[in-house]
Amino acid sequence: MSALLRSRAFKRGAIQIGFLVLLVGLIIAAAVVGRTNILSQGMATGFGFLEQTTGWTLSFSVIEIGPRSTYTRMLLAGILNTLAVGLLTLVLASLLGLIIALMRVSTNTPMKIVGGTYIELFRNVPVILQVLFWYALLTHTPSPRNAINFGDIAFFSNRGLTLPVPALSGWDVILLALGVVALSVAFRKLAYRFDFRQRVFGCIAAFVALFSILILTGRAPDMPLISVPELKGLRFVGGFTLKPEFTALLIGLVLFGASYIGEIIRGGLLSVDKGKLEAGAALGLSHSQVNRFIRIPLAFRAMLPALSNQYVWLMKGTTVGIVIGYPDYFAVVSTSINQSGQTLELLALLMIGFVIINYSLGFAMNVLNERLKLKGRN
Amino acid sequence: MAIEASLPPAAQTGIAAWLRKHFFSTWYDAILSLVFLALIFWVVSGIWSWGLRDAIWSVEDREACGHGAGACWAVIQDRHRLILFGLYPYEEHWRSTLACLAVIMTMILSCVPLFWTVWRLPILWIVGFGTFVLLMRGGFAGLPLVTTEQWGGLSLTIFIFSAVFVLGMPLAVTLAFARRSSLPVIAKATGIFIDVFRSLPLLTILFAAAVVVPLVLPDWLQGDKLGRVIIGFALFFAAYQAEIIRAGLQSIPDGQVEAAVSLNMPFWSQVVDIQLPQAFRNTLPSTINQAVITFKETSIVTIIGFFEVMASGNAVVGTGEWGQQYVEVYLFLAFIYFIFVFGLSRYGAWLETRMRLGHG
């Protein structure tokens, strides 16, 4: 009996060790072949190139960048570009998805038809084709001189969407962000003194006050409060221009993402047990109270896992931006590979970057999930 | 206290009641209904006049394209061969057509419950997919050889999709069982593999397969670029599908496997006759969902330089001659994808209701 047990344990151990040896052997073989191939092609190895200047630049970047920036900074710009378009997509797609879901669960038939058609149209076409379509549409719009004019303040042209923005400096933005954090902490501490509506209005009022103080004190004396775009010669001066690449990628991802998120939210809303809503109504809660205290929290819990999958997917989906020349992390890495030849190192950085982005997103959603989980018997 | 007399409740049936419930239940409901009805009317009439009434259909009056108010479908008539077949030799297009029909027939047949056994389905796919590859490649019985570099258009899309499925499914089953293995090293290694592949964008994997893998492979193992990309794609598909199958395996009650063990069934028979059929049946909706996603994702190979249906459509717009007709071309491409994907997802929805009713 003990001999049999030992032989079984031996067999299990042998299989696992064999598997490990095979795996390690394959990795070593790949490394050896890779090394000889790289050496025979005369390519450099190591991460020293990260300190070198690139000599090329990106068409769009959220941080200051130029041909004299190092590869490190260029890669950082790529990650930030990915995050910029990705996070904005998550927010906007969630909002649009919520609207579509509410349209689909309403009793109003025309609204249901529009919501249903939206989902079928945008979900069944590849996102890359949608992005290409919006990009073609944006670049076929008139030149700045004949731009589509929204009341002389916003313009739509083949350079992108030009909007008026408050004239804030970088420091003002940082101060504003700190202020918002401080405010939300303060309101959390005071939460028990006020009801929900008072807290929301308080937050908005404090934010507006902070914003006005900043805008009145933080700007240069001769600067206008709000920078309005103006046509000077062949281009716009002032305001802020959303580049066509950014706008097309954003529109494509938001419309596509909203169709999936809309279905997830609808599933969540429909999953709420009808009896719970009726119980709330029987306790004398109003329609909006039932929605706020029962339906939305329960639905939110039900849809959170699917939603976090979808968010991770959308974050990864930003890589299709390369097809219209949006310099996201993938595009920056692939240009760097072409320019520097450091294929393996850059590919490793690419993968690490995406694994970190996805794990942090997944981690944030898990924390949210834990916080929202029903306490007690579950 | 006397109870006040109240009016009888409004009729609950009939057209008036139906209209009231679905269109005009409150005053803001009525406003919303009118707004959305106007929107629907505006869109539908716009599509009708632009896409059909004022459209130009034939290449003869191509001069009028772009000047009139309507769509110019002549571009599709002029370039449909490029969109559907890419750079495939013109005289051999019939082969490509037949090959695609063979695979589409295989797809339709695999939706028939008659084929849903562990042996019939793989055999069906090997036959259908083999026919596809033989017809497309040629090089026998007087058919000229067409290398994969010349494959393109819709036939390349269908090839990539079905190849990913044919390779990915067995891989996914293997990964799912490996992850449930009682050997901790194998289970852990598979888990890491699946997690890493799931957290990377497909594009980075295809890019690695096309550009980086040749660096770490000896020359005799490199194969052609399309083959490597399909293997990368299949690994990516398998990582997702393995998790779906694993969920299916977990949903099988313990008693099923215990019964098989007590009957002294061999391990392979347990897997093939008991676990796999139930796992697949339980996860059919998610599997079809995954197929839909995969079909759409084939469009990503465009970026690493393959000429599948989206790339060839995009090329029609990019050549300049038809550059102004980009809306028509993109709509046509969207229509092609829509037919495949909508068909698949409708089938999935039908299966779901059928299984819920217990006919499955």
Side-chain angles (χ1 to χ4, degrees):
Chain A
M1 184 68 201
S2 81
L4 182 80
L5 218 109
R6 212 177 300 134
S7 82
R8 189 174 148 75
F10 175 74
K11 228 168 91 182
R12 288 169 55 95
I15 291 175
Q16 298 192 49
I17 290 170
F19 178 77
L20 266 185
V21 168
L22 193 71
L23 203 65
V24 173
L26 275 178
I27 292 171
I28 290 174
V32 169
V33 174
R35 206 179 134 73
T36 49
N37 280 352
I38 285 171
L39 286 180
S40 72
Q41 289 177 20
M43 293 198 277
T45 50
F47 286 92
F49 73 99
L50 285 174
E51 293 309 311
Q52 291 166 12
T53 56
T54 56
W56 42 274
T57 188
L58 306 175
S59 60
F60 171 90
S61 168
V62 284
I63 55 171
E64 197 94 13
I65 201 163
R68 308 188 62 178
S69 309
T70 59
Y71 273 98
T72 315
R73 194 168 168 83
M74 209 55 102
L75 292 172
L76 178 71
I79 287 212
L80 291 178
N81 282 351
T82 290
L83 288 176
V85 79
L87 294 177
L88 205 54
T89 298
L90 296 193
V91 174
L92 295 178
S94 305
L95 285 176
L96 185 59
L98 179 67
I99 295 172
I100 300 290
L102 291 177
M103 280 165 67
R104 293 201 72 191
V105 298
S106 87
T107 53
N108 189 309
T109 306
M111 244 159 82
K112 262 186 177 166
I113 293 173
V114 171
T117 314
Y118 174 89
I119 300 259
E120 293 300 349
L121 279 185
F122 286 93
R123 204 174 51 163
N124 292 340
V125 176
V127 65
I128 186 167
L129 181 56
Q130 299 192 31
V131 168
L132 269 177
F133 174 79
W134 295 115
Y135 186 61
L137 204 66
L138 283 174
T139 46
H140 279 80
T141 48
S143 65
R145 205 171 274 204
N146 309 312
I148 300 165
N149 189 335
F150 298 102
D152 269 341
I153 38 174
F155 300 91
F156 197 59
S157 68
N158 58 8
R159 305 288 168 87
L161 181 63
T162 308
L163 295 167
V165 282
L168 287 176
S169 69
W171 280 110
D172 293 341
V173 175
I174 294 171
L175 275 176
L176 202 62
L178 285 177
V180 169
V181 172
L183 271 177
S184 49
V185 171
F187 274 99
R188 264 189 80 82
K189 295 274 177 227
L190 294 172
Y192 64 94
R193 288 214 197 148
F194 304 101
D195 73 1
F196 180 73
R197 196 165 296 188
Q198 283 169 321
R199 264 182 282 153
V200 169
F201 280 125
C203 257
I204 292 172
F207 181 79
V208 169
L210 192 69
F211 192 73
S212 343
I213 292 171
L214 272 180
I215 236 180
L216 290 174
T217 59
R219 72 205 161 87
D222 53 344
M223 245 165 79
L225 289 182
I226 286 175
S227 162
V228 179
E230 252 181 286
L231 186 66
K232 288 237 173 93
L234 288 174
R235 62 193 196 93
F236 291 106
V237 175
F240 182 76
T241 300
L242 280 169
K243 293 256 183 200
E245 290 82 24
F246 183 88
T247 320
L249 183 58
L250 187 70
I251 296 176
L253 282 172
V254 165
L255 291 180
F256 181 77
S259 67
Y260 271 93
I261 293 176
E263 284 295 86
I264 292 170
I265 296 179
R266 187 174 75 106
L269 288 175
L270 292 182
S271 77
V272 177
D273 186 13
K274 216 175 161 194
K276 288 185 178 140
L277 304 180
E278 287 165 355
L283 288 172
L285 298 182
S286 73
H287 189 68
S288 78
Q289 281 173 322
V290 168
N291 270 341
R292 211 165 74 215
F293 295 125
I294 301 175
R295 191 177 202 175
I296 290 172
L298 284 174
F300 199 64
R301 279 179 198 122
M303 69 204 183
L304 210 57
L307 205 57
S308 66
N309 266 343
Q310 192 55 41
Y311 281 179
V312 169
W313 192 95
L314 275 178
M315 221 44 187
K316 292 192 282 178
T318 55
T319 49
V320 303
I322 195 175
V323 80
I324 54 168
Y326 179 76
D328 72 328
Y329 191 44
F330 177 77
V332 173
V333 169
S334 94
T335 315
S336 302
I337 288 178
N338 277 335
Q339 296 292 327
S340 73
Q342 308 267 6
T343 315
L344 294 179
E345 294 84 357
L346 280 162
L347 197 83
L349 288 175
L350 174 69
M351 300 203 162
I352 292 170
F354 270 105
V355 169
I356 290 176
I357 290 177
N358 291 332
Y359 270 88
S360 13
L361 200 59
F363 179 75
M365 294 300 275
N366 268 342
V367 169
L368 195 61
N369 197 13
E370 285 300 315
R371 289 284 297 274
L372 290 173
K373 217 157 73 179
L374 284 177
K375 304 292 186 297
R377 203 158 59 92
N378 208 337
Chain B
M1 194 165 79
I3 295 170
E4 270 181 56
S6 58
L7 291 168
Q12 300 287 313
T13 53
I15 290 173
W18 183 83
L19 272 178
R20 191 159 48 239
K21 181 167 178 234
H22 292 275
F23 290 84
F24 308 109
S25 59
T26 54
W27 62 267
Y28 55 82
D29 216 27
I31 294 175
L32 281 177
S33 287
L34 292 177
V35 169
F36 278 95
L37 279 176
L39 180 73
I40 293 171
F41 176 76
W42 181 65
V43 170
V44 170
S45 65
I47 290 172
W48 157 251
S49 56
W50 179 81
L52 295 169
R53 199 190 60 205
D54 301 337
I56 295 162
W57 296 89
S58 73
V59 189
E60 277 84 69
D61 31 56
R62 133 166 211 197
E63 296 304 310
C65 277
H67 303 300
C72 180
W73 300 114
V75 57
I76 307 299
Q77 197 207 343
D78 193 35
R79 291 296 159 91
H80 71 277
R81 288 264 193 148
L82 178 63
I83 296 176
L84 295 180
F85 302 105
L87 296 177
Y88 205 80
Y90 194 85
E91 313 77 52
E92 308 294 325
H93 281 182
W94 61 274
R95 266 162 60 188
S96 189
T97 314
L98 273 186
C100 289
L101 285 179
V103 165
I104 292 172
M105 268 312 286
T106 311
M107 289 179 193
I108 293 173
L109 282 181
S110 44
C111 294
V112 176
L114 180 71
F115 286 95
W116 293 354
T117 70
V118 179
W119 298 115
R120 284 183 200 164
L121 211 52
I123 290 171
L124 176 74
W125 271 92
I126 288 166
V127 170
F129 186 66
T131 315
F132 180 91
V133 175
L134 283 179
L135 265 176
M136 285 289 281
R137 233 183 104 75
F140 65 93
L143 297 175
L145 178 77
V146 182
T147 55
T148 54
E149 281 96 60
Q150 290 166 286
W151 295 14
L154 185 60
S155 39
L156 185 60
T157 298
I158 290 178
F159 172 70
I160 294 173
F161 175 68
S162 41
V164 165
F165 236 73
V166 167
L167 283 176
M169 260 313 172
L171 249 170
V173 172
T174 316
L175 285 176
F177 276 99
R179 196 169 192 182
R180 280 164 62 85
S181 160
S182 62
L183 305 171
V185 172
I186 289 178
K188 257 266 155 15
T190 320
I192 293 173
F193 170 84
I194 290 177
D195 282 350
V196 168
F197 263 68
R198 277 161 52 99
S199 64
L200 290 176
L202 175 60
L203 183 53
T204 63
I205 289 164
L206 298 186
F207 180 75
V211 179
V212 186
V213 168
L215 271 181
V216 297
L217 282 184
D219 291 336
W220 51 273
L221 241 176
Q222 290 183 1
D224 75 348
K225 189 176 161 197
L226 183 60
R228 288 199 306 273
V229 165
I230 283 175
I231 292 173
F233 203 152
L235 285 170
F236 180 80
F237 169 78
Y240 278 86
Q241 183 61 27
E243 288 295 276
I244 294 174
I245 295 174
R246 190 166 71 106
L249 290 172
Q250 269 173 359
S251 70
I252 301 173
D254 290 342
Q256 297 274 330
V257 179
E258 283 162 14
V261 171
S262 70
L263 287 172
N264 211 8
M265 247 182 169
F267 175 74
W268 287 110
S269 187
Q270 284 174 35
V271 169
V272 169
D273 296 329
I274 294 177
Q275 297 191 331
L276 277 183
Q278 295 197 59
F280 269 111
R281 176 172 298 185
N282 292 345
T283 56
L284 252 176
S286 339
T287 304
I288 286 176
N289 198 21
Q290 197 57 41
V292 164
I293 292 173
T294 306
F295 189 82
K296 282 187 288 178
E297 280 182 336
T298 55
S299 56
I300 287 179
V301 302
T302 307
I303 299 174
I304 48 172
F306 288 103
F307 218 55
E308 45 70 76
V309 64
M310 209 195 66
S312 48
N314 206 23
V316 172
V317 180
T319 49
E321 209 181 332
W322 288 106
Q324 291 304 311
Q325 268 64 53
Y326 63 96
V327 177
E328 289 87 340
V329 173
Y330 288 140
L331 280 181
F332 181 64
L333 292 178
F335 177 70
I336 292 176
Y337 280 104
F338 189 85
I339 289 178
F340 276 89
V341 168
F342 189 73
L344 257 174
S345 59
R346 280 296 104 177
Y347 169 72
W350 173 79
L351 260 185
E352 217 171 324
T353 39
R354 184 186 139 113
M355 290 196 317
R356 205 178 297 139
L357 293 174
H359 296 307

